[in-house]
Each structure stands twice: as structure tokens, then as C-alpha cells.
Amino acid sequence: MNILEQLARELNLKLSQVENTVALIDEGNTIPFIARYRKEVTGELSDEVLRNLDERLSYLRNLEDRKQEVLRLIDEQGKLTEELQRQIQEASVLQRVEDLYKPFKQKKSTRASKARERGLEPLAEILWAQEMESGTPEETARPYINPELGVETEKDALQGAMDILAERISDDPELTAAIRKLTLEKGLISSEGVDEEEKTPYDMYYHHQEAIAKIPNHRVLAINRGEKEKKLKVKILPPTEGILEILEKAVLRNGKSIFAPLLKDTLEDANKRLIAPSMEREMRSMLTERAELEAVKVFGKNTEKLLMVPPVKGARIISIDPGYRTGCKVAVLSETGKLLAYTTIYPTEPRKDIRGTEATLAKMVEKYQINTIVIGNGTGSRETEEVVADFIRKNNLDVRYTIVNEAGASVYSASKLATEEYPDLDVTTRGAMSLGRRLQDPLAELVKISPKHIGVGQYQHDINQTLLEGALTNVVEDCVNRVGVDLNTASPSLLSYIAGINMTIARNIVQYREEKGTFNDRKELKKVAKLGEKTFLQCAGFMRINGGKNPLDATSVHPESYKAAEAMLNRLGISKEEIAKGGVGDIQERIESQYPGKGLKQLAEELEIGTITLKDILEEIRKPARDPREDAPAVIFRNDVRNFEDLKVDMELQGTVRNVVDFGAFVDIGVKNDGLVHISQMSDRFIRHPMDVVSVGDTVKVKILSVDTERGKISLTMKI
């Protein structure tokens, strides 16, 4: 199998694109670097396509390695035929390789292996041949009686022969493939309640059956969780009749054989004892793997949208982490996120000190010229929001407020990282700071938290954690590199996601900064411990230096292209200072004026660089370090407050999408609980997945379908 050709076919790419990309990966280049700075080589493949290619490349290479290992293991047994070798080499999935290897796999002691040890394999071959049409099976079995080996009777001998054949049938790769296909098409997954009198979140699965082929992924994960919590009993219901038909058609060749009834019994035994349990494990594993992959994909896309929420510039913030008994922790932050003050207020039960809270807020607003108040959405959020909204209204202040999702803030504030960053602050103050900074720069703050804790997933704590961490790390890495970082202010957490940089080098960068002062030139990075030429190549373009020696250092132009960029500036009569002042908006017009009709192509040839690279350089010089987050929906600020009791059916509201899952989207409409827009209420047209319609952070118009006050549930529709 030619891996590169297969990748080109699967991903619908040119073979040259695949060959060039694989060469770059094999050289140790990172995906963000390849996506941004090797567009000429890859033909402008996006980071998403590159990730898919890298993933498939690993799978196919592992498949080839496994094929070679299986061929070696079978050959060592002296059982490798030309036909078997061809079948293994032609296998396109790992499952097929394992099916072909199964008959040769060394097993623990089984009924079949014990029967072979008792010398019953020749009798099994006689049964398998089905040639005898006269006499009795007992007469055929009599010569194989051997009390010393534990074969006391004809019945013992026949049973041993049948055990050998049952294992042979269950190990047959073609039968396994056919039964798997039929089970996928016709099988059911069934669940029952362990205690059907007990009320649990899994009530709907107490008497539940669903086709394996059609069960949605979120229901698979829900059933798995119910089983894990010992609330559900789950099993696979295979199409037994159809399976036995497949087996009979493949095995029973002579209905007149004296062994036909025994072989029928053997088929039933093989299915019940060996095939069905194996297929049950396989189906459950397949459903779980499919559901986990989809959940990780959804989680990844939600995380990306959350990380790419635009930063709120110029926000001088009072950040409130609500609570009851111990009060609400308050942190005051400058526009740059510097902690100016912190305290505790008590607007909620049991103290409900409204007057004291308003007095404290009034002093802070005046002293620190506050223009924004941020409130976490956790315990006590609702009551705190009412006090804040009333305070702003009564004092007629030019202050806006918003609610911030505080998922993961407590995890961060108690972490080793937070302790290292702010050793003199207590856990609660760190948490309040984190909430405010999430508004000022969501990306910079959220990278400090493990992505699975930021509250935009579906069953994230139930699924394969290695798979989840790997996928989410890729998402965060792509986002951080897409935006770039300020080399002189970025935290170690943020720096560690830059291409080629690990946490050790990230800490070394910050240490260098603290000891030597701010970076004035990207080349200074090479003086950082453990940051060599190869790492510099990967990371330099994503590091920004504002106000440094070279204005190009504030852009995403890579240092390897500085020579070409400077030559171009000279040809067009542009000084670097123009870039530092905000960019050269008319650069395209200048090129057209100097190179009428030929433009980019001629200029690229003169500069000896690719046209795609030149376009990227021009875009950066036109608008240096443009933030891609500018294209995302802006944060919604509140000027009102709603009570759950105020909600009425048919009320139309505007809200923010907080989470997207397989069955719909959760929308923040300004009350404590988010409302659910089910997938069926998203559009009049058929949609495969809610992400086809909405993303985390989107502002949407919704109408209330129902309000369940007792359970705190709100059902919404977007079909207005």
C-alpha cells in the first residue's frame, strides 16, 4: 500500500501536496508553522486539513508496522502462505489485520486447546469434512477414547472435536467480517434500570432499545454513564437468526452427513459462547469510540469558538466572584489586567448587606474610573446581578456589566500555576481576577486551565482523557498561533502553546525577560536557554514585539522573509516607520502603480519569493498583526436583569450561545439557567448537527417555548 497515494485519495489532495507536507512533518516542523509559513510548499493547506493529514499518516504508518509484525509472528509459526500474506498486505484497516491474525494468535488455555492436547484434532477434521453418510458419530469417535488423557467416552471425544471446530469458526476472518456487518446493520443496543423504582437522570433508558446503526452519539455516552454509575444494565441484542444463517451457509456443506446435527450444535455453541460475547465487546467499544470521537470534535469546535471570543479593549474592571456565606470576592483590574485592589462584599444571603455593597462599588468606580463590571455565573450570581444592575441604574452610571462563565476558575485559582503567578493572594481573589481577565483577553486567560474544565463539552469527564487532551491541545495551539502573542507580556502558559515551545522553554523566556528586561529584537530569542535555531524557526513568526528595533517584529512576517520584505519596502519607497504607525493601507495601489498589469507576480519574481508568501507579507504590512478574533461576535453587555419568574411562553429574547452539543445548543438569556434550543427547533430545514447553524459565542434571537420552574429548565426555539 502506498501511504502517500492513499492520503491523497482520501483527503482529495494532489499527490505533490501530500508528499511535500509529509516531508515537512518528518523534518519535525509543527502544524501551525507549516500552515502559516509553508503555504507555497503545501498549496495553502489549512491547519485543520494538516491536522487530519497528520492523524491519518500516523494511523496508516501504524497499520503498516502492525502488518509487518503480524506477518513475522505468523511466519515464525511456519504457517504463512502466499494467499494469507497477500490478504494481510492488502488490508486497509487495522481491524482486518487483527481478524486475519486471530486464528494464529497465541491464546491462553481454552476448551479447544485442551482438546488438541488430548489428540482430538484428527477427529475434528473428520467432522469438518462431512463426508461420512453411514454409521454413527459414536463409532467414529471410539478410537479416540484415551482415559489417560481424560477422554473417557465417545461423548467426551465428540465434544472435544466440536470445541476445536467452534473455535475455528469463531476465528474465521471472513465469517467475523460478515457477522460484524450484519450486527452493525440489524443489531440493537438495550438498556434496563437496575432499580426501576429509583428516580435518576437515566429514567428514559429504563426500558430502552435502539438500532446500533441509528443511536445518536450523545445517547451512547448517556447510557455508558448510567451503566458506570450502576443505574443501568446494558447489552447488545444481536440478530441471532441471521448470524446462524451465515454460519450454516458457510459451514454445512452436506446435509446427509452423519455429523450434520453435531455441526449445527457446534455453530450454536460457537455463536453463543465465543462469537456473541466477542461481538458484544466489539460493538460497545465501536459505539463508544465513535461517540467519543464526535464528542471530542464538538468539544474542540466549541473550545475554539470560546478561545477566539474577541478581547474587550480598554475595560477597567470590577470583577465579582459571587457566593453566599463567605460573600462575593471582588478584584479591580486595570486595562492591562493588573490587580489594583481587592475586597469582599456581601450582597447575598445571609448578610444581604446591600447598602455596604453599593458603597464599596461606588468608591471603586470613582477611584479607579471603572467602566465595566464582570460577574461570574456560579452560586449567588443571580442575586449579585440584581444588586449590580440596581446600583448602576440608581446612580445613572456610564458602566456596563456582563456575566462571564466561571467554569474552571476554581480549578485554576487553586492550581500550582496560579500559586506561582500570585503567591501572595488567596485562592478566591485569584478566581475573581481570572473572571475579569477572561473578558479582557479570553485566550490568554483560558489557556491557563485544562480545556476539559472550561465548560463547553459533552460528557468530557467520561471519555478517553488521552484522546481529549490531545485533540484540545491541538485546538488551543492552533488558536494561540493564529492570534500570536506579545513576547514581552505573555505568560508561560500562553507561550507554551506557541509552535516549537514547551513549558520549560516558555519559563526560560519569562526568566530571561525578568533578568534582562524586555525583548527588543526577535533574534534575542536565540539567547534564551534551550531555544536553538530549529525552535527559533518554528516560533519566531508567532512572537510579537511592539516598539522594538525592527517594526517587522510586531507583525507575523517571519524573520526568514525579512530580507525579501525589506527589499520590497525599498522598491515601493515605504519606510519601516510607516508600519509602526499602523500600517500602509494603500500598499496594493502602490504596487499596481509601480507594476501596472503585472503586479504581484513580477514583484514576487524580483524578490525571489512565492506569490502566496508575498501576499501574506503585504497583508501584514497593510494591517500589522491584525487580530483574527475581530471577526467573531462581540460580547453582549447587559443593561437589564431578568427573573426566572418573569419568563413567559412566546417571549422573544436575544441571547448568547454558551455550549453546543449533539442534540442542540444552550443559550444564555439573562437568567441563572441557560435555555435549550433543541436541534429540531433551530431551523425549518433539515440539519445534521447544531454546529451547522450556531457556534459558541454567537448572538441569537430566540422565543420561549416552555418554562419548567420546578426543574429550572427553559425550552427555546430559533424558528421565529
Side-chain angles (χ1 to χ4, degrees):
M1 178 177 67
N2 186 307
I3 289 177
L4 301 185
E5 288 176 3
Q6 184 167 339
L7 283 170
R9 272 196 313 275
E10 285 183 11
L11 301 174
N12 198 23
L13 301 173
K14 293 175 183 173
L15 182 58
S16 59
Q17 285 179 295
V18 173
E19 288 172 339
N20 293 343
T21 303
V22 170
L24 287 169
I25 291 170
D26 287 345
E27 286 167 13
N29 293 292
T30 61
I31 298 300
F33 174 78
I34 296 171
R36 181 66 181 82
Y37 296 111
R38 291 297 179 262
K39 293 179 182 178
E40 306 282 355
V41 182
T42 69
E44 295 190 272
L45 296 183
S46 68
D47 48 17
E48 187 176 355
V49 173
L50 289 167
R51 293 272 182 212
N52 290 339
L53 190 153
D54 189 29
E55 194 176 294
R56 278 301 285 164
L57 176 65
S58 295
Y59 176 86
L60 293 173
R61 282 179 167 171
N62 288 337
L63 175 62
E64 286 304 306
D65 290 345
R66 182 58 179 159
K67 285 180 186 179
Q68 297 310 311
E69 176 72 0
V70 165
L71 287 169
R72 180 184 67 76
L73 291 168
I74 298 173
D75 193 34
E76 284 177 0
Q77 296 176 35
K79 296 176 181 177
L80 185 63
T81 64
E82 284 186 16
E83 174 61 15
L84 180 57
Q85 183 169 351
R86 182 188 63 77
Q87 288 179 321
I88 291 170
Q89 287 173 335
E90 287 179 357
S92 58
V93 293
L94 195 55
Q95 191 173 61
R96 174 66 173 162
V97 176
E98 298 304 334
D99 283 351
L100 291 164
Y101 177 48
K102 193 177 175 185
F104 307 96
K105 203 169 186 177
Q106 298 300 310
K107 300 180 179 72
K108 293 177 183 175
S109 182
T110 64
R111 280 163 56 168
S113 66
K114 288 173 183 173
R116 288 191 195 94
E117 289 166 7
R118 291 169 182 157
L120 296 173
E121 188 134 33
L123 178 59
E125 296 300 341
I126 293 170
L127 268 67
W128 189 252
Q130 304 170 51
E131 291 170 355
M132 295 178 66
E133 296 181 5
S134 61
T136 66
E138 287 73 18
E139 289 171 355
T140 311
R142 199 163 292 137
Y144 296 93
I145 293 174
N146 188 337
E148 288 182 11
L149 293 175
V151 186
E152 303 280 352
T153 64
E154 292 93 338
K155 187 179 177 183
D156 292 342
L158 289 170
Q159 184 59 57
M162 290 163 69
D163 288 342
I164 291 169
L165 296 183
E167 187 171 276
R168 181 183 299 180
I169 291 161
S170 72
D171 282 351
D172 185 285
E174 308 310 327
L175 289 175
T176 300
I179 291 168
R180 180 185 295 119
K181 183 172 181 290
L182 183 67
T183 307
L184 281 169
E185 290 171 356
K186 306 284 187 183
L188 302 173
I189 182 168
S190 163
S191 60
E192 296 174 2
V194 171
D195 178 1
E196 297 189 358
E197 300 300 314
E198 184 186 4
K199 283 282 181 191
T200 73
Y202 311 105
D203 296 7
M204 65 177 287
Y205 300 111
Y206 279 6
H207 296 282
H208 187 79
Q209 284 188 9
E210 196 161 359
I212 290 171
K214 293 183 178 177
I215 184 169
N217 292 318
H218 65 272
R219 284 213 278 273
V220 172
L221 295 174
I223 287 170
N224 285 357
R225 180 183 282 181
E227 183 181 43
K228 187 178 178 183
E229 293 178 8
K230 296 186 168 46
K231 304 300 181 186
L232 296 176
K233 290 182 285 187
V234 186
K235 58 185 175 184
I236 295 294
L237 303 178
T240 305
E241 286 184 20
I243 290 170
L244 289 174
E245 281 178 24
I246 289 172
L247 294 176
E248 287 179 12
K249 191 174 177 183
V251 174
L252 299 181
R253 298 184 297 279
N254 181 3
K256 294 178 182 179
S257 167
I258 61 172
F259 303 117
L262 290 177
L263 286 169
K264 275 197 171 186
D265 291 344
T266 302
L267 296 180
E268 289 183 11
D269 174 56
N271 182 46
K272 185 177 179 181
R273 184 168 56 86
L274 300 171
I275 295 171
S278 172
M279 205 51 62
E280 169 128 16
R281 289 191 298 271
E282 197 174 303
M283 290 298 114
R284 292 295 305 279
S285 177
M286 180 275 298
L287 285 172
T288 299
E289 187 178 330
R290 187 188 76 189
E292 287 186 343
L293 285 170
E294 179 62 24
V296 167
K297 188 175 167 188
V298 169
F299 202 166
K301 288 193 179 298
N302 283 340
T303 301
E304 179 183 7
K305 294 292 181 182
L306 189 62
L307 293 174
M308 296 301 281
V309 167
V312 176
K313 305 283 188 187
R316 295 181 66 83
I317 289 175
I318 292 175
S319 178
I320 306 173
D321 185 359
Y324 286 126
R325 188 177 55 80
T326 56
C328 302
K329 305 303 173 184
V330 178
V332 181
L333 304 175
S334 72
E335 299 96 322
T336 60
K338 182 182 177 183
L339 181 67
L340 303 176
Y342 58 92
T343 188
T344 303
I345 54 176
Y346 299 90
T348 57
E349 298 287 357
R351 286 170 66 166
K352 208 167 185 181
D353 179 15
I354 308 295
R355 187 176 294 176
T357 295
E358 290 183 343
T360 300
L361 292 176
K363 282 179 191 171
M364 287 178 165
V365 168
E366 185 178 354
K367 182 175 180 181
Y368 299 107
Q369 299 177 320
I370 298 301
N371 56 27
T372 307
I373 297 177
V374 169
I375 304 165
N377 69 341
T379 305
S381 174
R382 181 82 216 132
E383 298 89 332
T384 306
E385 183 185 2
E386 287 179 11
V387 173
V388 167
D390 200 38
F391 163 72
I392 293 171
R393 197 163 40 240
K394 277 197 298 192
N395 294 280
N396 195 25
L397 296 170
D398 185 18
V399 175
R400 57 203 175 166
Y401 83 88
T402 189
I403 307 297
V404 171
N405 187 342
E406 62 179 52
S410 59
V411 175
Y412 159 71
S413 59
S415 68
K416 183 183 175 189
L417 174 63
T419 307
E420 288 172 355
E421 284 187 312
Y422 309 107
D424 301 328
L425 299 178
D426 68 16
V427 169
T428 52
T429 303
R430 291 181 205 139
M433 280 179 68
S434 180
L435 295 179
R437 288 176 167 183
R438 285 186 187 198
L439 186 75
Q440 291 177 321
D441 193 342
L443 182 60
E445 196 61 27
L446 290 172
V447 294
K448 299 175 183 177
I449 304 161
S450 170
K452 68 183 177 187
H453 292 303
I454 61 179
V456 290
Q458 185 179 359
Y459 301 102
Q460 60 263 38
H461 298 289
D462 298 338
I463 61 183
N464 183 310
Q465 295 301 294
T466 305
L467 177 72
L468 182 66
E469 291 288 351
L472 293 179
T473 298
N474 289 344
V475 168
V476 179
E477 191 177 274
D478 287 341
C479 290
V480 172
N481 287 284
R482 210 175 300 154
V483 172
V485 302
D486 185 325
L487 183 54
N488 285 318
T489 61
S491 67
S493 305
L494 196 57
L495 288 166
S496 70
Y497 283 103
I498 289 293
I501 302 291
N502 57 32
M503 185 54 86
T504 301
I505 297 176
R507 288 196 173 107
N508 290 347
I509 291 171
V510 173
Q511 187 179 346
Y512 181 92
R513 206 166 66 196
E514 288 169 352
E515 292 174 358
K516 310 282 186 184
T518 57
F519 286 89
N520 288 308
D521 191 313
R522 275 173 169 164
K523 284 184 283 191
E524 268 189 85
L525 277 166
K526 294 179 184 179
K527 296 178 182 177
V528 172
K530 297 188 178 179
L531 201 157
E533 282 291 343
K534 194 171 182 179
T535 303
F536 179 79
L537 177 70
Q538 299 297 310
C539 75
F542 303 109
M543 306 284 205
R544 312 272 190 270
I545 300 175
N546 295 308
K549 290 180 187 174
N550 187 344
L552 288 174
D553 283 350
T555 73
S556 68
V557 177
H558 197 285
E560 66 183 0
S561 297
Y562 279 7
K563 188 177 176 184
E566 287 163 356
M568 180 192 69
L569 293 173
N570 288 336
R571 278 178 167 76
L572 299 175
I574 298 170
S575 71
K576 286 185 185 177
E577 284 64 38
E578 286 183 70
I579 301 170
K581 287 175 184 173
V584 186
D586 64 345
I587 193 164
Q588 300 282 2
E589 290 83 350
R590 296 196 198 191
I591 292 170
E592 283 304 320
S593 147
Q594 199 155 326
Y595 298 91
K598 294 178 182 179
L600 288 181
K601 193 175 177 191
Q602 185 177 339
L603 183 55
E605 285 172 4
E606 287 182 12
L607 298 171
E608 297 181 349
I609 60 171
T611 309
I612 298 170
T613 303
L614 178 58
K615 278 182 186 173
D616 282 347
I617 293 172
L618 290 174
E619 189 55 35
E620 275 300 302
I621 288 170
R622 189 179 71 80
K623 195 172 182 183
R626 178 184 173 274
D627 193 331
R629 293 174 292 180
E630 292 170 11
D631 299 333
V635 173
I636 291 182
F637 286 96
R638 300 268 178 78
N639 53 19
D640 63 341
V641 60
R642 300 186 192 102
N643 289 312
F644 201 93
E645 294 71 27
D646 297 337
L647 301 179
K648 299 284 183 280
V649 172
D650 290 336
M651 186 183 279
E652 293 188 8
L653 304 161
Q654 197 174 49
T656 303
V657 177
R658 293 297 185 200
N659 197 7
V660 184
V661 292
D662 285 347
F663 53 85
F666 290 95
V667 178
D668 177 357
I669 55 171
V671 294
K672 184 176 180 182
N673 296 357
D674 294 341
L676 173 66
V677 182
H678 190 267
I679 187 170
S680 61
Q681 293 297 327
M682 289 188 156
S683 174
D684 289 321
R685 63 182 175 83
F686 172 76
I687 55 172
R688 293 189 178 280
H689 197 280
M691 279 189 175
D692 296 341
V693 180
V694 294
S695 299
V696 168
D698 284 356
T699 301
V700 292
K701 195 173 181 182
V702 294
K703 184 166 76 174
I704 297 177
L705 288 178
S706 66
V707 180
D708 185 339
T709 309
E710 189 180 323
R711 299 169 73 189
K713 292 193 173 182
I714 310 157
S715 181
L716 306 171
T717 181
M718 288 167 55
K719 297 197 283 190
I720 302 174

